[in-house]
């Protein structure tokens, strides 16, 4: 093979010491720019990572690496602070992923993962384990049980990015499968199991303006579970065009989108409504859960807002609320 590639192979051997084989092959140098390790556009919009590592340098490197992919993060040096942060964010704004170092004092990465799995409020957090090569007791065998991914340090940027994207995508697909499962029948089923319909009895028509493909799948699966029919717009401009040509009962409007953001798209739809007399409710969807973000949605002309990641219960409640408002308006 070496000769076929224009090279040669030689050997140097000394009795009692061993042999050294040398292969020389002429290879061209690629002078082009190295491929930049980047995340898909918008993939990490509205997402936040948790970093747990007792080494300050490692925390800074990971924080800067994630920031280069536009993935926001919080970094902690011990397990107890990490657990407190996870619980503080809770179900309303959970971490999208946790990147955990194995070798830490007091509570190591595996023990931390077990604590997280034992707490129902944060157990759904996908976790990636980082460990140093060649260390005694490296828990690779636990990757399938506790962790969605397992990387040996120093992990190449491309491998880390691929693992994060795969883990985040798998978590979203699992959530989509979960919310798409047939609802369990119960004699005490309340409003949460209520199928959503227009006043005429037909399924609610919902326009979802969202540029992230994973978010699209998850929200659509939830709406299908509620009995709604969903149309997806990948940016604000497309949402405006679709609204002008179709009749929708509810609009879910992501605030941050390319081409035209949710604020500008809402303004255009409101102009359309002034001419037609339509009063379709527009629900802002934002990655932030602060009071000022809600106020921004309302000031932009939206009727209500939902924080990301969108959860089944709040989504159901807000659609019921505004569907009922529309029914009451028609009845009067």
């Amino acid at each position: 093979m070496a000769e076929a590639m224009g090279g040669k192979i030689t050997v140097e051997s000394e009795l009692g010491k061993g042999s050294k084989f040398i292969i020389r092959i002429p290879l061209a140098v690629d002078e082009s720019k190295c491929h930049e390790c980047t995340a898909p556009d918008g993939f990490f919009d509205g997402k936040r990572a948790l970093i747990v590592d007792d080494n300050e340098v490692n925390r800074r490197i990971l924080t800067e690496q994630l920031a280069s992919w536009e993935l926001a993060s919080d970094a902690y040096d011990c397990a107890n602070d990490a657990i407190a942060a996870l619980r503080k964010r809770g179900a309303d704004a959970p971490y999208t992923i946790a990147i955990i170092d194995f070798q830490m004092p007091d509570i190591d990465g595996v023990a931390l993962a077990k604590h997280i799995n034992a707490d129902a409020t944060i157990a759904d957090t996908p976790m990636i384990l980082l460990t140093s090569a060649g260390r005694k007791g490296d828990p690779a065998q636990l990757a399938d049980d506790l962790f969605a991914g397992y990387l040996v340090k120093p992990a190449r940027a491309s491998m880390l990015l691929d693992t994060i994207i795969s883990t985040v995508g798998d978590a979203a697909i699992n959530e989509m499968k979960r919310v798409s499962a047939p609802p369990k029948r119960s004699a005490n089923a309340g409003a949460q199991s209520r199928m959503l319909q227009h006043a005429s009895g037909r399924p609610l028509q919902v326009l979802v303006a969202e540029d992230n493909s994973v978010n699209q799948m998850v929200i659509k699966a939830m709406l299908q579970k509620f009995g709604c029919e969903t149309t997806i717009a990948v940016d604000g401009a497309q949402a405006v065009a679709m609204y002008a040509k179709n009749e929708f009962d509810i609009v879910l409007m992501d605030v941050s989108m390319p081409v035209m953001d949710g604020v500008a798209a809402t303004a255009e739809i409101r102009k359309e409504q002034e001419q037609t007399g339509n009063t379709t409710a527009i629900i802002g969807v934002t990655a932030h859960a602060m009071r000022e973000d809600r106020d921004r949605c309302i000031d932009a002309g939206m009727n209500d807002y939902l924080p990301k990641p969108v959860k089944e219960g709040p989504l159901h409640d807000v659609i019921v609320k505004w569907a009922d408002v529309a029914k009451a308006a028609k009845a009067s």
Side-chain angles (χ1 to χ4, degrees):
M1 290 180 65
E3 291 174 354
M5 297 176 68
K8 63 179 181 178
I9 182 169
T10 59
V11 61
E12 298 174 1
S13 182
E14 185 175 347
L15 185 64
K17 289 188 175 181
S19 302
K20 179 170 65 174
F21 295 86
I22 302 171
I23 299 174
R24 293 184 173 87
I25 300 174
L27 298 173
V29 176
D30 185 359
E31 301 290 351
S32 63
K33 183 180 178 181
C34 294
H35 175 67
E36 188 177 0
C37 179
T38 58
D41 289 343
F43 186 85
F44 291 128
D45 287 353
K47 296 177 175 60
R48 196 169 195 88
L50 175 69
I51 298 170
V52 193
D53 195 315
D54 62 304
N55 186 290
E56 182 181 358
V57 174
N58 290 343
R59 291 197 305 273
R60 185 169 68 250
I61 291 173
L62 282 171
T63 299
E64 292 176 356
Q65 184 65 79
L66 298 187
S68 72
W69 300 325
E70 299 184 350
L71 175 56
S73 63
D74 297 322
Y76 297 93
D77 61 0
C78 69
N80 288 329
D81 288 346
I83 291 173
L86 283 162
R87 289 172 176 164
K88 183 177 180 180
R89 292 185 70 88
D92 292 333
Y95 286 104
T96 305
I97 193 166
I99 303 172
I100 301 173
D101 182 43
F102 171 43
Q103 302 247 342
M104 294 188 292
D106 300 326
I107 301 176
D108 66 22
V110 173
L112 171 56
K114 290 179 179 179
H115 278 289
I116 293 173
N117 274 0
D119 188 331
T121 63
I122 56 177
D124 290 337
T125 307
M127 295 177 283
I128 294 175
L129 182 68
L130 297 182
T131 182
S132 300
R135 294 290 183 90
K136 182 179 179 180
D138 279 355
Q141 69 275 10
L142 294 176
D144 291 336
D145 298 328
L146 291 172
F147 299 94
Y150 174 85
L151 292 172
V152 176
K153 295 191 296 185
R156 286 166 42 198
S158 59
M159 292 180 64
L160 177 61
L161 178 60
D162 288 346
T163 303
I164 293 174
I165 289 176
S166 175
T167 300
V168 172
D170 287 347
I173 291 171
N174 289 337
E175 173 70 5
M176 181 181 67
K177 290 178 179 177
R178 184 185 68 80
V179 301
S180 299
K184 296 180 179 179
R185 295 186 176 274
S186 171
N188 297 318
Q192 185 63 27
S193 61
R194 171 182 166 186
M195 299 301 286
L196 306 180
Q197 293 181 329
H198 185 267
S200 65
R202 64 167 172 78
L204 282 180
Q205 303 294 316
V206 182
L207 173 62
V208 177
E210 169 63 63
D211 61 302
N212 184 284
S213 59
V214 173
N215 291 340
Q216 291 169 6
M217 289 190 298
V218 173
I219 294 174
K220 184 175 182 179
M222 293 178 185
L223 292 173
Q224 287 177 335
K225 182 177 179 180
F226 304 153
C228 300
E229 293 186 359
T230 308
T231 301
I232 302 292
V234 298
D235 57 55
Q238 190 176 86
V240 172
M242 288 180 170
Y243 183 86
K245 296 179 180 179
N246 302 277
E247 181 179 347
F248 295 101
D249 302 301
I250 299 282
V251 177
L252 295 178
M253 182 71 72
D254 184 26
V255 174
S256 300
M257 291 185 291
V259 184
M260 179 185 289
D261 65 21
V263 172
T266 297
E268 292 297 319
I269 290 177
R270 292 308 187 203
K271 290 179 183 178
E272 172 80 14
Q273 290 180 344
E274 288 177 2
Q275 298 177 359
T276 62
N278 198 318
T279 57
T280 302
I282 301 177
I283 313 301
V285 182
T286 174
H288 310 287
M290 304 299 289
R291 177 59 184 266
E292 54 266 30
D293 297 300
R294 180 187 185 281
D295 292 342
R296 183 187 177 205
C297 291
I298 302 304
D299 292 343
M302 300 177 189
N303 299 86
D304 213 328
Y305 95 115
L306 278 171
K308 284 185 177 180
V310 176
K311 297 295 183 180
E312 180 180 334
L315 175 61
H316 185 278
D317 292 344
V318 78
I319 292 182
V320 167
K321 173 183 175 181
W322 291 103
D324 285 347
V325 168
K327 290 179 182 179
K330 286 184 177 294
S332 61

